[in-house]
Amino acid sequence: MLLQPAPRAGVLLPLPLTGAYDYKLPKGTNVQRGLLVTAPLGPREQLGVVWGDAEGTVGDNRLKEAVPLDGSPVLPEKLCDFVDWVAQYTLSPPGMILAMALRNGRAFEPEATRIAYVLGPQTPERMTPARQRVLDVAADGLARKVPELAQLADASPAVVRGLIEAGALVATQLPEFERFEVPDPGFMSVTLNDDQRKAADSLVADIAQARFAASLLDGVTGSGKTEVYFEAAAEALRRGKQVLILLPEIALTVQFLERFAQRFGCRPAEWHSDLSQKERTRTYRAVMSGEARAVVGARSSLFLPFSELGLVIVDEEHEQAYKQEEGIIYHARDMAVVRARIEGCPVVLASATPSLETYVNATSGRYAHLRLADRHGVAVMPQCKLIDLRETKTEPGSWLSQPLRDALAATLAGGEQAMLFLNRRGYAPLTLCQSCGHKMMCRDCSSWLVEHRYRKRLVCHQCGYETATPPSCPQCGAQASFVACGPGVERVAEEFATLFPQARVAIASSDTMHGPLETQAAIRAMAKRETDVLIGTQIVAKGHHFPQLTMVGVIDADLGGSDGDLRARERTFQLLHQVAGRAGRAEKPGLVLIQTRNPNDSVMVALASGDRDKFYEQERVFRERAHAPPFGRLAAIILSGLDGALVQETGRMLAKAAPPAKGVKIWGPTPAFYHLLRGQTRERLLLQAERKVDVQAYLRAWLAKVKPSNKVRIAVDIDPVSFF
Ligand SMILES: [Zn+2]
Ligand SMILES: [Zn+2]
């Protein structure tokens, strides 16, 4: 009798390994890409995924056996393809991308067998302290599994099983995961204006084609982009497809879920880091089974196992929050386009101020360009005026110029609301000693400590280190010699309060006194007109609708425009445009006053004139001349480690090893913008290449030539968007 050899396969494990490992599988296994298995690795059992054919270099007798999970669940093949693509593009070990797609091993356990225990009718004849503790835990009536009961009661599982045998605990089925409701595409009838109708028709046609197509949905704040892409979502749902909507920040999801529910009759599934483990498991399973039809999520939702994805929407596509800067460095907007291409479905990028990359893709015809020209309903765009701070001077220690003060007074007198914007948390960005000039720095980073006066703390905005303001200068010992330099939102609020003592004022920044909840409360109070003036950082710029807000003042428009970063101007424009868009969103027209020392800068000119496209055209020319993205390619290599000399030495070694290649330039190593971060020294190398260069292949060849010490971490950032 001939023995059939066991099937074998390459199995990818969610670990930082170079690739898939060969395993054999039990006879009769239906071997297919995506099959979830348990695979032995050293002494451990590890969740893994059948990835492809075995390499076949290891003999059968030495091969370990991987066993399919109960019920033989399979990860969608297109998700596997996406994992490979992202790994290839970001130069990451594929297992680390797979880890992002698995996240939650419990999600693959069959749901029906989740037996748990509750108090039973019997009282055990023999009672011990351990048994009593278990029964005390169970007294709350919640169903729990044996290990959980044992752990909570600090008893052994045997004690729990003894109670089960004695009838003091009885088996019950854990409540099934609550089912997701099915969104109803026809729940609310919608009236669209002509622009909206045209855009919606174009998207609906793409969905009918059921193939990849990218569109930029381009419209000013308040022009009704959401209503348009909801029409596309409705069409995808009608055709039995799943829909993924990406939002840049969790803070925006609460409002958004409500909006979705108004349109579709129920909330979508959510996916972000604030969910409990159980919620994540529930959502993950429901996405994989197809039960969850629509998902609203943060960037990590791109790695969910959709079985029938039919539409991807990236709202506020220009937002920098889409770039993950730690761990696996990737841009969720770009990867969303890739996922859609692999799934063969349309992707919609929505923004009032698109990234230059997307703008160029749209104006060159690579993406469909769907424009919404007007504000929805009666609202008109606000009037925007520059205040030239070189001519209109403010007193030392004052940040509100006379024209700004006059406008605030008029707004308050008219019973309307105003907002002041400054993208700087805390009281003052710099604290220095008047006697010796010593600047208060973080002990672990090359950044200034920012005074937060309400909390009486000095805080590092890079690493979160904080300390009480010392009574004397650590450098010269002078007593009470510290002065605050420059404005933060707290300081602006202080000045405002002395000028308008009667006005009700609130501060909103991501760290105002008691965290995000307080910020949400400040925003709600503003919406309910319990606040007259809201003073805030960029968190007030996004997505909020304040109908009675008619005036916006920008304290320092030049902030962030001068740090030599390729995208600094684009970002400044996007942020200020968005801030300005808060004014006059209902019947009353808005006024925006922008304080600047560079009124002739194209960012300021574009804001004042409202000619957005002129700004984009200037940026496009500038980037094209500089061979900068999207007309050239960039990649950064960041080296970091505790041993500063070793990091610098490795940087020099790496620079020397760079293979000469046509169309490739290497800059650096130079100290990174934060050359000290959390105690780690950081050096950067920048690769600039022509568009046609295969940057990944170049980097792979380059990095393979250097064997750095394991005390130096090397991270590759393809298409960097920030330069810190
Ligand atoms: Zn001093
Ligand atoms: Zn720090």
Side-chain angles (χ1 to χ4, degrees), residues 204-258:
V204 165
D206 283 343
I207 286 162
Q209 300 266 332
R211 59 178 158 82
F212 173 72
S215 302
L216 166 61
L217 185 54
D218 182 355
V220 294
T221 329
S223 62
K225 294 186 288 293
T226 312
E227 287 90 335
V228 171
Y229 69 63
F230 274 171
E231 288 310 290
E235 183 63 18
L237 293 169
R238 264 181 221 115
R239 289 171 181 271
K241 299 288 190 179
Q242 289 171 299
V243 175
L244 169 62
I245 304 174
L246 292 174
L247 298 180
E249 276 168 62
I250 304 172
L252 297 175
T253 43
V254 180
Q255 266 187 339
F256 188 88
L257 297 174
E258 276 310 310

Side-chain angles (χ1 to χ4, degrees), residues 67-302:
V67 180
L69 300 190
D70 279 352
S72 300
V74 178
L75 221 51
E77 187 166 2
K78 283 173 178 167
L79 177 60
C80 300
D81 295 347
F82 181 59
V83 166
D84 275 337
W85 203 98
V86 175
Q88 198 287 131
Y89 192 79
T90 59
L91 267 78
S92 308
M96 295 309 286
I97 310 294
L98 179 64
M100 300 196 328
L102 293 178
R103 273 292 161 81
N104 190 333
R106 284 183 48 228
F108 306 113
E109 290 171 18
E111 190 174 358
T113 59
R114 295 170 68 86
I115 299 293
Y117 294 89
V118 292
L119 281 184
Q122 309 294 328
T123 312
E125 285 171 22
R126 193 174 58 84
M127 187 58 86
T128 65
R131 285 185 157 195
Q132 189 57 53
R133 286 199 301 277
V134 174
L135 295 179
D136 289 347
V137 167
D140 63 7
L142 291 180
R144 292 187 181 86
K145 292 176 158 190
V146 173
E148 195 185 354
L149 275 169
Q151 201 205 349
L152 287 172
D154 192 21
S156 73
V159 171
V160 179
R161 279 192 289 270
L163 287 167
I164 294 167
E165 270 162 41
L169 292 172
V170 292
T172 178
Q173 211 147 12
L174 257 190
E176 305 270 270
F177 284 105
E178 210 187 313
R179 292 287 171 248
F180 283 93
E181 286 180 68
V182 179
D184 174 5
F187 183 76
M188 191 180 85
S189 67
V190 194
T191 325
L192 301 176
N193 65 27
D194 286 352
D195 278 351
Q196 287 179 311
R197 183 78 268 159
K198 253 165 60 188
D201 287 349
S202 165
L203 297 178
V204 165
D206 283 343
I207 286 162
Q209 300 266 332
R211 59 178 158 82
F212 173 72
S215 302
L216 166 61
L217 185 54
D218 182 355
V220 294
T221 329
S223 62
K225 294 186 288 293
T226 312
E227 287 90 335
V228 171
Y229 69 63
F230 274 171
E231 288 310 290
E235 183 63 18
L237 293 169
R238 264 181 221 115
R239 289 171 181 271
K241 299 288 190 179
Q242 289 171 299
V243 175
L244 169 62
I245 304 174
L246 292 174
L247 298 180
E249 276 168 62
I250 304 172
L252 297 175
T253 43
V254 180
Q255 266 187 339
F256 188 88
L257 297 174
E258 276 310 310
R259 214 161 159 192
F260 185 96
Q262 283 164 17
R263 173 64 182 81
F264 294 102
C266 67
R267 286 177 162 230
E270 301 175 61
W271 186 264
H272 50 71
S273 56
D274 269 9
L275 292 183
S276 69
Q277 184 63 37
K278 195 176 168 195
E279 272 302 305
R280 290 167 80 83
T281 304
R282 173 183 174 230
T283 301
Y284 191 98
R285 301 170 70 101
V287 169
M288 187 151 152
S289 71
E291 173 201 322
R293 307 310 300 166
V295 178
V296 170
R299 56 192 179 214
S300 58
S301 53
L302 269 180

Side-chain angles (χ1 to χ4, degrees), residues 312-388:
V312 181
I313 294 159
V314 184
D315 203 357
E316 307 289 356
E317 69 89 28
H318 63 279
E319 281 288 343
Q320 217 181 337
Y322 282 124
K323 179 82 186 215
Q324 173 152 309
E325 304 270 16
E326 308 229 316
I328 302 293
I329 302 175
Y330 70 96
H331 202 304
R333 179 237 302 147
D334 297 345
M335 295 307 113
V337 175
V338 171
R339 177 102 201 232
R341 204 173 57 213
I342 289 173
E343 298 282 347
C345 76
V347 58
V348 181
L349 310 179
S351 176
T353 53
S355 62
L356 194 79
E357 278 82 352
T358 300
Y359 179 83
V360 169
N361 277 329
T363 49
S364 69
R366 210 167 302 141
Y367 294 176
H369 195 177
L370 310 175
R371 302 198 78 142
L372 307 178
D374 295 320
R375 281 198 159 187
H376 206 42
V378 290
V380 292
M381 287 305 285
Q383 190 194 4
C384 209
K385 282 187 189 158
L386 301 177
I387 298 172
D388 184 350

Side-chain angles (χ1 to χ4, degrees), residues 537-587:
T537 59
Q538 60 177 338
I539 60 164
V540 301
K542 287 164 198 168
H544 308 294
H545 181 61
F546 306 125
Q548 297 300 318
L549 174 67
T550 56
M551 197 230 128
V552 168
V554 175
I555 304 298
D556 184 353
D558 307 328
L559 250 187
S562 53
D563 55 4
D565 168 341
L566 166 74
R567 288 182 177 81
R569 296 158 46 72
E570 180 189 329
R571 269 206 296 276
T572 303
F573 177 79
Q574 286 160 341
L575 185 56
L576 295 182
H577 186 279
Q578 204 158 24
V579 172
R582 296 304 112 203
R585 286 173 57 99
E587 299 80 32

Side-chain angles (χ1 to χ4, degrees), residues 651-671:
R652 282 193 293 269
M653 189 168 78
L654 202 56
K656 249 184 248 157
K662 203 171 165 287
V664 176
K665 275 188 224 159
I666 307 293
W667 311 94
T670 53

Side-chain angles (χ1 to χ4, degrees), residues 442 445 460 462-463 465:
C442 176
C445 310
C460 171
Q462 296 314 312
C463 72
Y465 167 78

Side-chain angles (χ1 to χ4, degrees), residues 442-447 449 460-465 676-678:
C442 176
R443 48 168 202 183
D444 294 329
C445 310
S446 51
S447 65
L449 290 177
C460 171
H461 284 178
Q462 296 314 312
C463 72
Y465 167 78
L676 201 59
L677 190 64
R678 297 183 186 93

